[in-house]
């Protein structure tokens, strides 16, 4: 299903002339070898362009359409017209050597075999270059020496004659297309993607752009050991995919990963997403909905409001079709291969509705300094990690499972809830609004608690013991803070974790401490004493006993009660 969706996407992109035809590919090119008619190097052309990346200006290699590149592992195999300095010049940063000379000879043989009968100026110049170029004397060439460090940095080089590139030459392009038609192997079978009898691809091209995978790319479909093979079929013949389907899906996936604007990372996973019709407006909308920023909160609110009222959703003056098929693919690195964390497909309208329900569950009273409504998924997951540690990424499997659950409006993974509780305990009861929102959303979806009982803000009518205990702990902490202004360590630092888990062993101690704090308030802040005693009476009237222990669900209610009561306190201060 993944390969079929990617193939359809490729065909729609090809109609828009965004991707090349079969036998060709798009790759990043850094330098051009500018040849004379006689095959001499006139100069090395700089093909990188400068782009703004954050606060820095960096040089980016230019994407170009070139003949399809080979899949290399450890052997020597040359590309046609576009390759690195080892193949096209026979050099690396240290000079040349036996292995590098083998690379150059492979490139020489390939180019001369293909172009020896060509009559065009460009083809003859390339043949002349390979016949006369000696890698061992490369340092004697001033043009090469001038750019030595640049051209040996691993970037791709192409041939050109002034402003005309070899891959754009009509005669050379025709020669390459004719050669591809001749190279038909004996392996034929039924393609699993198209269902047609065709030539089966033995090796699938690498997918580039997934962080953590090999820089040269990693395979999505690959078999390299007898343990993975069956029925005597080797390599990718185990999963028969026709050459056209293999070219189409790899081209589409590499295109998606190259569009960095429409990718984002969750843990160690890379997420790509696309509409079947290959229209970027749908990608723009989902990008905004998954990771909102302060500047687009009103736009997201309008999208959800239009959905709720069954009105058309418009992005950049273009009306989105809610029935449009939409796909989301989550990839993770696995040595020289890619693993699929999940693949999700649905109509775009349903995906938006599921996201809207998630954000509705996440709504909670926020501190006054928070000036945005929607908490992006990436920011939500950051609440489960220690932001002071070197590695600030959430647990990879958990992160992918959270996104999967949100997209299909399913139950959140238990690890999201437990990781949030662990983080709160590790920080001695530091309940941020993000963590409180996660707990609220989890309890509504997984524990089926009604939103009226665990609402956005303080619910003074709630008589649930765990929730009331959380409120009580918050009031006891406030009493201590008011009685001792400027105190650096409160009861939260010492008692929060045990109060949340085993309240019967802690609250009697806290009540005794409260009595001494109340006496101090009686001497210094009589009005505060009256307020707190009235509030304590109201809360403790809802309690019958202190439970010996609280379950995980009850601990979540305790934390919400604590957070809601604390926000109520800050709210009163702001009113004053």
């Amino acid at each position: 299903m993944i390969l079929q969706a990617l193939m359809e996407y490729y065909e729609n992109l090809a109609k828009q002339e965004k991707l090349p035809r079969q036998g060709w590919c798009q790759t990043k090119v850094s330098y051009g070898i500018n040849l004379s008619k006689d095959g001499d190097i006139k100069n090395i052309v700089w093909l990188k362009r400068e782009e703004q990346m954050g606060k820095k200006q960096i040089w980016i290699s230019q994407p170009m359409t070139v003949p399809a590149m080979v899949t290399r592992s450890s052997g020597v195999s040359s590309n046609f017209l576009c390759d690195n300095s080892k193949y096209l010049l026979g050099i690396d940063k240290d000079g040349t050597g036996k292995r590098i000379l083998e690379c150059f000879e492979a490139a020489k043989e390939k180019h001369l075999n293909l172009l020896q009968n060509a009559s065009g100026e460009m083809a003859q110049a390339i043949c002349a270059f390979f016949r006369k170029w000696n890698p061992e004397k490369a340092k004697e060439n001033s043009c090469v020496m001038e750019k030595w460090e640049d051209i040996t940095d691993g970037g791709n080089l192409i041939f050109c004659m002034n402003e005309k590139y070899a891959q754009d030459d009509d005669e050379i392009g025709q020669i390459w297309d004719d050669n591809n038609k001749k190279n038909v192997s004996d392996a034929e079978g039924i393609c699993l993607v198209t269902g047609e009898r065709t030539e089966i691809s033995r090796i699938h091209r690498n997918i580039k752009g997934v962080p953590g995978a090999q820089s040269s790319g990693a395979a999505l479909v690959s078999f390299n050991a007898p343990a993975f093979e069956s029925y005597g079929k080797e390599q990718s013949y185990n999963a028969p995919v026709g050459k056209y389907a293999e070219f189409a899906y790899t081209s589409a996936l590499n295109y998606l990963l190259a569009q960095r604007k429409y990718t984002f990372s969750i843990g160690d996973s890379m997420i790509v997403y696309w509409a079947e019709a290959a229209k970027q407006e749908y990608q723009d909308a989902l990008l905004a909905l998954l990771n909102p920023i302060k500047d687009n909160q009103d736009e997201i609110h309008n999208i959800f409001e239009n959905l709720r009222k069954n009105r058309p959703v418009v992005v950049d003056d273009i009306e989105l079709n809610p029935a449009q098929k939409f796909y989301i693919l989550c990839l993770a690195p696995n040595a020289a291969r890619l693993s699929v964390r999940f693949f999700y497909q649905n109509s775009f309208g349903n995906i938006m509705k599921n996201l809207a329900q998630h954000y509705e569950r996440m709504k909670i009273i926020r501190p006054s300094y928070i000036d945005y409504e929607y908490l992006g998924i990436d920011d939500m997951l950051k609440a489960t990690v220690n932001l002071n540690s070197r590695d600030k990424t959430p647990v990879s499997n958990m992160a992918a499972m959270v996104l999967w659950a949100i997209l299909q409006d399913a139950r959140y993974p238990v690890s999201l809830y437990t990781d949030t509780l662990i983080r709160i305990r590790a920080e001695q009861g530091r309940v941020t609004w993000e963590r409180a929102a996660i707990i609220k959303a989890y309890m509504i979806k997984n524990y089926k608690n009604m939103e009226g009982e665990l609402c956005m803000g303080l619910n003074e009518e709630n008589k649930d013991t765990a929730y009331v205990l959380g409120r009580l702990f918050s009031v006891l902490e406030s009493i201590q803070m008011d009685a001792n202004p400027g105190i650096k360590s409160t009861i939260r630092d010492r008692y929060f974790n045990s109060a949340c888990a085993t309240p019967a062993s802690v609250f009697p101690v806290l009540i005794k401490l409260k009595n001494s704090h109340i006496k101090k308030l009686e001497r210094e802040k009589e009005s505060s004493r009256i307020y707190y005693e009235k509030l304590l009476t109201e809360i403790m009237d809802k309690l019958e006993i202190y439970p010996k222990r609280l379950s995980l669900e009850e601990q979540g209610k305790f934390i919400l009660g604590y957070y809601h009561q604390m926000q109520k306190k800050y709210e009163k201060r702001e009113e004053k």
Side-chain angles (χ1 to χ4, degrees):
M1 198 63 203
I2 299 174
L3 304 191
Q4 288 174 327
L6 287 168
M7 189 183 77
E8 291 171 0
Y9 184 59
Y10 163 79
E11 290 173 344
N12 286 323
L13 287 171
K15 289 176 185 176
Q16 300 173 26
E17 298 184 350
K18 291 182 178 179
L19 282 181
R21 63 188 185 278
Q22 187 176 5
W24 298 76
C25 70
Q26 279 191 335
T27 193
K28 293 180 178 179
V29 179
S30 304
Y31 314 101
I33 303 173
N34 191 15
L35 301 176
S36 67
K37 294 180 180 179
D38 300 326
D40 296 319
I41 299 178
K42 293 167 64 175
N43 63 297
I44 302 296
V45 181
W46 181 269
L47 295 178
K48 293 183 179 182
R49 61 170 182 259
E50 198 172 16
E51 285 189 4
Q52 186 77 27
M53 191 71 72
K55 296 181 179 179
K56 296 181 179 179
Q57 290 278 354
I58 61 172
W59 290 97
I60 301 292
S61 298
Q62 189 176 158
M64 288 188 174
T65 298
V66 299
M69 304 180 82
V70 298
T71 301
R72 282 197 288 253
S73 53
S74 57
V76 173
S77 183
S78 172
N79 292 311
F80 183 56
L81 301 182
C82 176
D83 218 319
N84 58 44
S85 63
K86 294 179 182 179
Y87 282 88
L88 297 192
L89 293 172
I91 59 173
D92 66 3
K93 62 181 180 180
D94 298 321
T96 190
K98 182 180 177 182
R99 166 79 177 190
I100 299 173
L101 285 174
E102 289 177 2
C103 294
F104 176 75
E105 288 300 322
K108 179 178 179 179
E109 181 181 357
K110 186 166 194 170
H111 284 80
L112 291 179
N113 284 341
L114 286 169
L115 303 177
Q116 59 185 346
N117 297 322
S119 58
E121 187 177 73
M122 179 70 77
Q124 290 185 351
I126 293 172
C127 289
F129 163 78
F130 276 108
R131 290 191 184 105
K132 66 173 61 175
W133 179 255
N134 184 356
E136 294 177 336
K137 295 183 179 181
K139 292 187 177 180
E140 296 177 11
N141 187 294
S142 58
C143 299
V144 173
M145 277 303 296
E146 183 183 352
K147 298 285 181 65
W148 187 280
E149 290 187 6
D150 292 326
I151 61 179
T152 58
D153 65 358
N156 286 321
L157 295 88
I158 58 170
F159 293 109
C160 62
M161 294 181 72
N162 296 325
E163 295 181 358
K164 184 178 181 182
Y165 302 127
Q167 67 269 19
D168 295 335
D169 185 87
D170 292 337
E171 181 188 31
I172 293 177
Q174 189 61 51
I175 290 171
W176 176 249
D177 287 337
D178 292 342
N179 180 72
N180 285 334
K181 292 175 184 177
K182 293 177 185 176
N183 292 334
V184 178
S185 69
D186 296 331
E188 286 194 355
I190 302 298
C191 174
L192 294 178
V193 179
T194 64
E196 299 174 355
R197 175 166 286 279
T198 183
E199 183 185 3
I200 301 302
S201 183
R202 183 176 67 89
I203 298 177
H204 293 213
R205 280 191 305 159
N206 282 342
I207 306 302
K208 299 180 180 180
V210 177
Q214 293 183 358
S215 58
S216 59
L220 187 61
V221 178
S222 174
F223 302 82
N224 74 331
F228 310 133
E229 298 167 359
S230 57
Y231 299 101
K233 295 183 177 181
E234 299 178 348
Q235 296 183 322
S236 294
Y237 295 138
N238 280 273
V241 175
K243 282 205 167 182
Y244 169 74
E246 179 267 329
F247 167 77
Y249 94 76
T250 54
S251 297
L253 190 49
N254 278 317
Y255 174 83
L256 284 166
L257 288 164
Q259 307 295 307
R260 285 299 179 187
K261 177 183 176 183
Y262 300 118
T263 65
F264 67 93
S265 299
I266 288 187
D268 68 344
S269 304
M270 176 64 76
I271 311 294
V272 292
Y273 44 92
W274 68 96
E276 185 183 50
K279 293 182 179 179
Q280 288 187 347
E281 295 79 22
Y282 294 91
Q283 290 174 297
D284 288 328
L286 188 72
L287 178 65
L289 295 176
L290 286 176
N291 277 319
I293 56 176
K294 292 181 182 180
D295 296 338
N296 68 358
Q297 298 284 311
D298 291 338
E299 177 188 346
I300 294 171
H301 181 80
N302 291 334
I303 289 175
F304 288 150
E305 190 66 15
N306 289 338
L307 273 175
R308 190 174 64 83
K309 295 181 179 180
N310 292 320
R311 295 191 302 223
V313 175
V314 179
V315 175
D316 295 333
D317 299 325
I318 297 173
E319 183 177 330
L320 301 183
N321 176 13
Q324 171 64 55
K325 276 188 179 179
F326 201 84
Y327 305 95
I328 301 170
L329 177 62
C330 179
L331 298 170
N334 182 17
R337 289 163 185 78
L338 298 177
S339 62
V340 177
R341 282 268 160 82
F342 69 78
F343 177 62
Y344 181 70
Q345 63 175 29
N346 205 333
S347 69
F348 193 69
N350 285 340
I351 290 174
M352 289 193 294
K353 288 177 182 176
N354 292 343
L355 283 168
Q357 289 176 316
H358 162 72
Y359 285 125
E360 186 65 30
R361 289 190 294 268
M362 289 286 290
K363 283 184 178 179
I364 197 165
I365 186 170
R366 305 183 303 276
S368 59
Y369 58 83
I370 301 297
D371 56 357
Y372 52 92
E373 180 179 358
Y374 299 101
L375 180 68
I377 294 171
D378 190 46
D379 291 331
M380 179 185 80
L381 291 169
K382 285 179 182 176
T384 66
V385 300
N386 181 6
L387 296 180
N388 294 321
S389 66
R390 183 175 298 178
D391 183 11
K392 297 179 175 62
T393 57
V395 178
S396 301
N397 284 337
M398 182 271 288
M401 289 165 63
V402 168
L403 179 58
W404 169 257
I406 291 170
L407 290 172
Q408 58 180 352
D409 194 31
R411 290 163 62 92
Y412 298 103
V414 176
S415 52
L416 171 66
Y417 182 63
T418 55
D419 284 3
T420 304
L421 294 184
I422 290 169
R423 194 72 251 140
I424 292 172
R425 292 191 191 114
E427 297 180 17
Q428 287 79 43
R430 182 169 174 264
V431 185
T432 63
W433 78 274
E434 297 96 335
R435 292 167 183 168
I438 292 172
I439 291 171
K440 172 179 177 282
Y442 183 89
M443 298 191 76
I444 291 170
K445 187 66 180 176
N446 291 45
Y447 286 128
K448 304 301 181 185
N449 281 297
M450 299 301 292
E451 291 187 52
E453 295 175 352
L454 294 167
C455 56
M456 282 184 59
L458 179 63
N459 184 355
E460 295 178 341
E461 302 303 317
N462 192 337
K463 295 183 179 180
D464 184 275
T465 300
Y467 185 84
V468 174
L469 284 171
R471 290 185 62 196
L472 176 59
F473 190 91
S474 174
V475 173
L476 294 175
E477 183 185 12
S478 297
I479 292 172
Q480 181 189 29
M481 292 170 70
D482 278 8
N484 304 278
I487 187 173
K488 293 182 179 179
S489 178
T490 68
I491 58 172
R492 192 198 78 186
D493 301 287
R494 185 174 179 183
Y495 293 106
F496 185 90
N497 291 344
S498 51
C500 184
T502 55
S505 64
V506 174
F507 273 95
V509 176
L510 297 180
I511 295 297
K512 287 182 181 178
L513 287 174
K514 176 266 302 180
N515 293 335
S516 61
H517 297 145
I518 286 288
K519 287 179 181 178
K520 189 173 182 182
L521 286 177
E522 187 177 11
R523 294 192 301 269
E524 301 174 3
K525 300 177 182 178
E526 178 64 16
S527 59
S528 294
R529 181 192 69 79
I530 295 172
Y531 165 76
Y532 282 124
E533 286 193 338
K534 183 178 179 182
L535 183 58
L536 282 171
T537 301
E538 175 196 335
I539 292 173
M540 295 185 75
D541 280 347
K542 295 181 172 66
L543 287 173
E544 295 181 3
I545 59 168
Y546 296 125
K548 288 185 177 181
R549 59 184 57 84
L550 298 181
S551 65
L552 281 179
E553 178 183 356
E554 291 169 330
Q555 289 177 38
K557 294 177 182 179
F558 179 97
I559 291 169
L560 280 178
Y562 171 81
Y563 176 80
H564 284 157
Q565 188 67 50
M566 194 60 72
Q567 291 304 312
K568 188 70 174 180
K569 170 188 173 182
Y570 294 139
E571 179 186 306
K572 288 185 175 295
R573 285 184 176 178
E574 288 163 13
E575 288 173 359
K576 290 179 183 178

